[in-house]
Amino acid sequence: MKHFISVKDVASVESLVRLAAGFKAAPLKDQQVGQGKILGLLFMNPSLRTRISTQVAAKNLGMEVIVFNADKDGWQLEFGDGVIMNGNTTEHVKEAAAVLGQYVDILGVRSFPGLNDKEKDYSEYIIKSFIRYSGVPVVSLESATLHPLQSLADILTMTELKPEGRKPKVVMTWAPHVKALPQAVPNSFAEWVNAWGEADFVIAHPKGYELDEKFTGRATITNNQDEALKDADFIYVKNWSSYTDYGKILNTDPSWMITAEKIKLSRQAGVMHCLPVRRNVVIADEVLDGPNSVVITQAGNRVWAAQAVLYEILKNI
Ligand code: CP
């Protein structure tokens, strides 16, 4: 593996999940692989899980880690070509990425979308600039449109908890939220579930929340949440802002929140969320505090997902 930006960078989802499960069983079994190597983690936005789990993963492989909060501690970056930099931006990504590439062996980058300009966000110009100018392998810590480390942990979680002898029914459902959120997690979850190929996959959302078909692929799509939840083995809950009416909140209908009543429609489904989650807006307390919630296992699996990805990249440098 050279870079890790999307599922397209993965030769076999099944093999990568097996590798991650192996690290979960024996976290320190490959402590020599990263000796003498440095991982840089560049955050342009907040993070709890990605920040800590990726550090733990790197340390398990013997790597040193440097975390840089570019949004707070760095110079404001310019990404435009040929720009006269007489405004607010102080450093061009051409220098910043190239300099970081002199210091670290692998570079992780987190950069959320602006949610104003769909074409610009979906061009993934930020993470692509770091790939282009850093000269080192780049790992997405969540980009404008995708969150592949999260998705790998999600697939690992479902692999561990899925029913024996049949394909699980996986339902990704939109839920309300007070803020406009990116489409990165649902886009990514959809493309990973499709690549995994081990699920009957349904996506439920109100009208106007259609995701890019490039990611949803062959999923069944419905505007009827109750119908979708029937016989579900996993309910993946997530808010996202509109892709078609880009970045807008079109609906805050509280009846889309996941409650204990809704779980009754399912086959005692495992309830998943990438976190952070707004309690009693997205998912009710009774669900998050109840036996169906697997969100802590899911977050724990972020370590093994990151470790598998770093291991695959370290093999090639
Ligand atoms: N799920 C996730 O990426 O969490 P953080 O934003 O806290 O890293």
Side-chain angles (χ1 to χ4, degrees), residues 193-255:
V193 172
N194 284 328
W196 184 40
E198 296 290 323
D200 291 325
F201 186 31
V202 178
I203 301 174
H205 58 69
K207 286 201 171 94
Y209 282 94
E210 295 74 19
L211 294 163
D212 188 341
E213 288 173 12
K214 182 170 80 177
F215 305 113
T216 58
R218 60 178 179 273
T220 302
I221 302 191
T222 175
N223 302 132
N224 186 332
Q225 189 190 50
D226 284 357
E227 189 63 35
L229 295 180
K230 269 184 203 150
D231 298 329
D233 294 295
F234 295 99
I235 303 173
Y236 196 95
V237 192
K238 188 70 186 86
N239 171 269
W240 61 89
S241 59
S242 176
Y243 171 69
T244 45
D245 195 354
Y246 191 63
K248 299 285 189 308
I249 297 176
L250 307 178
N251 189 327
T252 53
D253 181 356
S255 74

Side-chain angles (χ1 to χ4, degrees), residues 115-123 183 243-246:
L115 292 178
N116 297 312
D117 184 334
K118 176 155 90 176
E119 206 175 318
K120 198 170 170 195
D121 288 342
Y122 273 71
S123 76
Q183 297 100 32
Y243 171 69
T244 45
D245 195 354
Y246 191 63

Side-chain angles (χ1 to χ4, degrees), residues 15-288:
S15 302
L16 194 60
V17 168
R18 211 175 312 121
L19 184 64
F23 284 126
K24 186 168 184 172
L28 303 181
K29 71 187 173 78
D30 283 307
Q31 257 186 319
Q32 303 308 315
V33 172
Q35 288 281 332
K37 301 282 192 246
I38 297 178
L39 173 68
L41 299 178
L42 181 85
F43 286 92
M44 299 186 179
N45 307 96
S47 166
L48 186 157
R49 280 142 290 272
T50 308
R51 175 189 302 266
I52 308 292
S53 63
T54 310
Q55 288 184 71
V56 173
K59 285 174 188 285
N60 285 347
L61 294 169
M63 299 184 82
E64 295 291 330
V65 188
I66 297 169
V67 180
F68 182 47
N69 299 314
D71 53 340
K72 297 181 185 75
D73 303 329
W75 302 112
Q76 194 162 339
L77 292 182
E78 176 60 57
F79 290 87
D81 246 345
V83 171
I84 298 168
M85 289 173 56
N86 58 1
N88 291 331
T89 54
T90 308
E91 177 159 30
H92 203 283
V93 69
K94 289 183 182 183
E95 284 80 44
V99 168
L100 288 167
Q102 299 290 304
Y103 301 154
V104 305
D105 299 285
I106 302 175
L107 181 63
V109 178
R110 165 164 286 200
S111 61
F112 289 168
L115 292 178
N116 297 312
D117 184 334
K118 176 155 90 176
E119 206 175 318
K120 198 170 170 195
D121 288 342
Y122 273 71
S123 76
E124 290 284 16
Y125 68 98
I126 295 179
I127 203 143
K128 283 185 180 164
S129 296
F130 280 99
I131 290 174
R132 183 166 176 198
Y133 299 117
S134 71
V136 295
V138 172
V139 174
S140 168
L141 305 174
E142 184 170 347
S143 68
T145 69
L146 293 170
H147 195 355
L149 284 176
Q150 178 66 53
S151 306
L152 175 55
D154 299 339
I155 302 290
L156 172 60
T157 307
M158 292 191 290
T159 302
E160 292 173 329
L161 301 175
K162 70 185 163 79
E164 288 286 327
R166 64 178 171 80
K167 274 191 174 187
K169 180 177 176 185
V170 175
V171 179
M172 179 170 75
T173 178
W174 180 94
H177 202 282
V178 293
K179 290 176 74 174
L181 299 188
Q183 297 100 32
V185 168
N187 283 345
S188 197
F189 184 75
E191 75 167 9
W192 278 75
V193 172
N194 284 328
W196 184 40
E198 296 290 323
D200 291 325
F201 186 31
V202 178
I203 301 174
H205 58 69
K207 286 201 171 94
Y209 282 94
E210 295 74 19
L211 294 163
D212 188 341
E213 288 173 12
K214 182 170 80 177
F215 305 113
T216 58
R218 60 178 179 273
T220 302
I221 302 191
T222 175
N223 302 132
N224 186 332
Q225 189 190 50
D226 284 357
E227 189 63 35
L229 295 180
K230 269 184 203 150
D231 298 329
D233 294 295
F234 295 99
I235 303 173
Y236 196 95
V237 192
K238 188 70 186 86
N239 171 269
W240 61 89
S241 59
S242 176
Y243 171 69
T244 45
D245 195 354
Y246 191 63
K248 299 285 189 308
I249 297 176
L250 307 178
N251 189 327
T252 53
D253 181 356
S255 74
W256 280 75
M257 178 174 75
I258 294 299
T259 60
E261 270 310 295
K262 300 224 177 212
I263 303 297
K264 287 183 189 158
L265 297 166
S266 74
R267 290 200 206 200
Q268 280 302 321
V271 175
M272 304 177 72
H273 190 285
C274 63
L275 305 181
V277 63
R278 289 193 182 232
R279 283 173 169 255
N280 305 311
V281 175
V282 179
I283 304 177
D285 274 344
E286 66 210 20
V287 176
L288 283 166

